[in-house]
Every structure is written in structure tokens, then in C-alpha cells.
Amino acid sequence: MAALTPLDGGRIKKSRASLIGGIAVGIGVMVLWTAITRDLAVAGNGMMLLGIAVSLLVAAWIWRADL
């Protein structure tokens, strides 16, 4: 039985469009994080640092996954 192989060799693509999309999504995540923490009255330095970490991870995932 023949194995299926991707046309691009199976490598993860890192295009400029996904980089820009990752940055935009990361900014959007941080804006929403800030709005939610202020609405719930839990906005502090710790929560903002956690929001920065989450938005950076989401942005990196969007960029690496080429979504």
C-alpha cells in the first residue's frame, strides 16, 4: 500500500501572511484579555503578565501553524 506524502514535504510553513496574522491575533487577544479582566475587576500586574504570555503563545501558534 502506498503511503500518502504531502506535496510540500511535510514541513511547517512560516509565511509572511501568517506572521502578520499571528501578530494581529495576538494584539486582539491582549485587547480582549484586558477588557475582560477590567470588567471582572481583577486587572493587576500579574493578570496583565499572564495576558501577555497567553497572547504571545497564541500569536506564535498562529504563525507556526500557518493558519
Side-chain angles (χ1 to χ4, degrees), residues 25-48:
V25 170
I27 291 170
V29 167
M30 191 62 204
V31 167
L32 289 174
W33 185 279
T34 303
I36 290 170
T37 56
R38 285 187 181 174
D39 191 45
L40 296 175
V42 293
N45 289 338
M47 288 303 287
M48 289 298 117

Side-chain angles (χ1 to χ4, degrees), residues 6-56:
L7 295 176
D8 63 355
R11 289 180 282 137
I12 295 176
K13 297 179 285 183
K14 294 174 284 207
S15 67
R16 179 175 291 220
S18 65
L19 174 63
I20 293 170
I23 291 170
V25 170
I27 291 170
V29 167
M30 191 62 204
V31 167
L32 289 174
W33 185 279
T34 303
I36 290 170
T37 56
R38 285 187 181 174
D39 191 45
L40 296 175
V42 293
N45 289 338
M47 288 303 287
M48 289 298 117
L49 288 175
L50 185 60
I52 290 169
V54 168
S55 62
L56 286 174

